[in-house]
Amino acid sequence: MAQHSSTPYPLVIVGSGPAGVSAARAYVDAGGPGPVLMLTSDVDHPYERPPLSKELLRGTAEPEPTVLDELPGAVELRRGVTVTRADLGARTLWAAEEPIRFERLILALGARPVPLPDVEAGAEVHLLRSFADARRLVTSAGHARSAVVVGSGFIGCEAAASLALRGVGTTLVTPDEVPQQERLGREAGERIAQWLVGAGVELRTGVRVSGVRAPRTVHLDDGATLAPDLILAAVGVEPGGGWLADSELTVHEGRIVADEHLQAAPGVWVAGDVARAHHAVAGRPVPVEHWGDALSMGEVAGHNAAHTEVGAPDGAGQASAQAHEATAEADTLRAWETVPGFWSTIGEHTLKHCAWGDGHEQARMVERTGGFTVWYTDAEDRVVGVLTYNADEFYERGRELVAAGTPWAEVRG
Ligand SMILES: Cc1cc2nc3c(=O)[nH]c(=O)nc-3n(C[C@H](O)[C@H](O)[C@H](O)COP(=O)(O)OP(=O)(O)OC[C@H]3O[C@@H](n4cnc5c(N)ncnc54)[C@H](O)[C@@H]3O)c2cc1C
């Protein structure tokens, strides 16, 4: 199925995460012309990331990738290939100096973990994003009696609980007073802290890592030193679009700016963690880093790419983007309008969160037997988010209330 190098692929997708895979499926389902080429730095066949910090690290699932989905037959997958350069006017990408020409392009580049600052050369600090990372981490965990996890975001909390539950003495280090206070509020953060302690995690809050010395000595800014068998840094991610900053695309803090149809330039769409897309319902750009949203954005991007006619670049590959202006019938295009949300499992506890993700003014926890709901409102007291634990009906309702921007007074009444 491989194309001759001078023949452009009707669609090239960069990235084999949920955004790339669902884009491929939606494009083929919508009758987009093939063949489709998917390029990915990942060495494994597309797989699910969520189990990597949960069942897989805990040791309750085999250390094998959970296959994400079969790709449609029209899709040629090239693994272990990193795209390093793009000339969008000439509709050409370069991977290891090989030019790859395209008519349409979907960028689903995801994000990568931010490393800890001040790590001495030779120090062993794990990061967790890919299955290959998880395989190394699980191997280390198999020999470890103690671990330090740095960072109390969802991946840090999930991984710390999983390590502790598999019997590794685990310390979680975070500058926050309680995990995720800023994002979820104090009360929800306190619940997470209780769950972590219940799983056997030692919490060291209000401290920062000031440096890591080889092979595995962690220095904290309160003067303490820890010397675990394993260190995992989970201090956030950097979206993968930074290398496109000099291209025709607009890139904001590593994310590629796109409209509500997820189009970033003529013939170019983006989806998933790398996107800074205008949300049709929110009416503003909404960056997200969630599995389900990457799937739904991929669907929108793939569908819209299939419904857009594009001219092929000229033989010399020198034509401008304007010369290839993509045309689409507006009524066939889809807008991105799902309210962002995700689930996280910390030990035995599954939280469901749905929110615009750009902060809240007030968080109100409503308890029920064995569960709770936290409602988040903005400065005008409208619902902008909901967090549920064993309260699924409020998660579903919350999504509707967030979408509608319902005033809190109506919810309470
Ligand atoms: C351990 C872990 C657990 C998680 N758990 C949850 C969870 O429970 N719930 C939830 O909602 N979210 C969770 N997430 C987040 C979720 O996995 C991401 O939001 C999601 O994977 C984003 O999908 P994506 O397709 O945008 O990017 P990714 O899944 O990151 O995929 C990006 C792809 O692009 C490729 N790529 C990047 N740059 C290039 C390049 N230059 N050339 C070629 N290929 C390139 C990468 O190799 C990769 O294949 C978790 C993440 C991790 C790491």
Side-chain angles (χ1 to χ4, degrees):
M1 195 201 298
Q3 300 271 99
H4 187 271
S5 66
S6 63
T7 310
Y9 281 87
L11 173 66
V12 171
I13 299 173
V14 188
S16 63
V21 169
S22 79
R25 206 184 309 126
Y27 178 83
V28 172
D29 286 353
V36 176
L37 176 64
M38 179 179 281
L39 301 166
T40 180
S41 311
D42 223 307
V43 292
D44 289 293
H45 196 85
Y47 55 87
E48 298 198 359
R49 289 188 204 284
L52 304 183
S53 49
K54 305 177 185 76
E55 301 91 317
L56 199 106
L57 186 54
R58 188 169 167 178
T60 53
E62 288 299 311
E64 297 296 330
T66 311
V67 173
L68 178 53
D69 216 341
E70 286 308 320
L71 288 167
V75 181
E76 177 194 342
L77 174 66
R78 284 196 215 160
R79 293 183 269 159
V81 173
T82 297
V83 177
T84 50
R85 199 152 55 92
D87 180 341
L88 301 182
R91 305 233 151 182
T92 305
L93 303 173
W94 281 267
E97 297 309 313
E98 183 202 344
I100 297 155
R101 301 183 68 213
F102 61 86
E103 292 174 0
R104 300 169 188 78
L105 175 65
I106 296 179
L107 295 165
L109 306 168
R112 53 182 167 265
V114 177
L116 277 178
D118 200 10
V119 173
E120 189 178 27
E124 296 163 20
V125 179
H126 287 272
L127 301 172
L128 179 56
R129 183 76 186 183
S130 65
F131 182 77
D133 297 335
R135 193 187 279 125
R136 283 189 288 271
L137 180 61
V138 168
T139 302
S140 295
H143 304 291
R145 293 174 56 188
S146 59
V148 167
V149 175
V150 186
S152 62
F154 276 114
I155 291 178
C157 290
E158 290 179 355
S162 298
L163 284 164
L165 289 168
R166 72 178 286 153
V168 180
T170 302
T171 305
L172 179 72
V173 175
T174 174
D176 300 337
E177 282 178 42
V178 296
Q180 307 194 48
Q181 178 166 351
E182 193 179 328
R183 181 184 207 173
L184 301 180
R186 175 108 203 164
E187 279 184 282
E190 282 169 354
R191 296 303 167 96
I192 293 174
Q194 286 166 12
W195 295 340
L196 287 166
V197 171
V201 176
E202 183 192 341
L203 277 181
R204 296 186 77 138
T205 56
V207 280
R208 284 177 192 280
V209 171
S210 53
V212 182
R213 299 289 158 258
R216 290 176 304 274
T217 304
V218 181
H219 293 275
L220 305 181
D221 66 358
D222 62 1
T225 297
L226 305 169
D229 298 330
L230 180 162
I231 304 167
L232 170 65
V235 294
V237 293
E238 181 188 6
W243 61 277
L244 287 156
D246 294 332
S247 73
E248 297 88 332
L249 300 172
T250 305
V251 179
H252 179 86
E253 295 174 352
R255 295 180 201 274
I256 301 163
V257 174
D259 67 14
E260 64 183 24
H261 299 117
L262 305 185
Q263 190 160 11
V268 183
W269 293 262
V270 292
D273 288 9
V274 78
R276 182 182 166 81
H278 188 87
H279 194 284
V281 176
R284 60 182 185 273
V286 174
V288 287
E289 290 166 8
H290 313 145
W291 185 266
D293 295 304
L295 287 172
S296 58
M297 292 175 90
E299 270 177 45
V300 172
H303 174 92
N304 290 345
H307 284 276
T308 303
E309 289 298 324
V310 291
D314 63 22
Q318 294 300 317
S320 68
Q322 286 76 8
H324 301 134
E325 189 68 47
T327 55
E329 287 172 37
D331 57 357
T332 61
L333 296 183
R334 288 197 188 146
W336 177 43
E337 48 194 16
T338 322
V339 178
F342 68 89
W343 299 7
S344 171
T345 302
I346 300 167
E348 308 297 345
H349 308 277
T350 297
L351 283 168
K352 301 183 180 180
H353 186 233
C354 163
W356 294 124
D358 42 11
H360 60 266
E361 195 68 20
Q362 268 209 60
R364 298 172 174 92
M365 182 178 276
V366 181
E367 305 244 22
R368 68 190 298 178
T369 309
F372 62 79
T373 301
V374 185
W375 295 99
Y376 302 94
T377 50
D378 65 8
E380 287 153 34
D381 224 16
R382 292 173 312 193
V383 177
V384 290
V386 64
L387 176 76
T388 61
Y389 172 59
N390 288 340
D392 284 358
E393 67 276 26
F394 291 116
Y395 180 72
E396 297 309 330
R397 180 155 176 246
R399 194 182 278 278
E400 291 163 19
L401 298 174
V402 172
T406 308
W408 170 247
E410 281 179 30
V411 179
R412 193 186 40 194

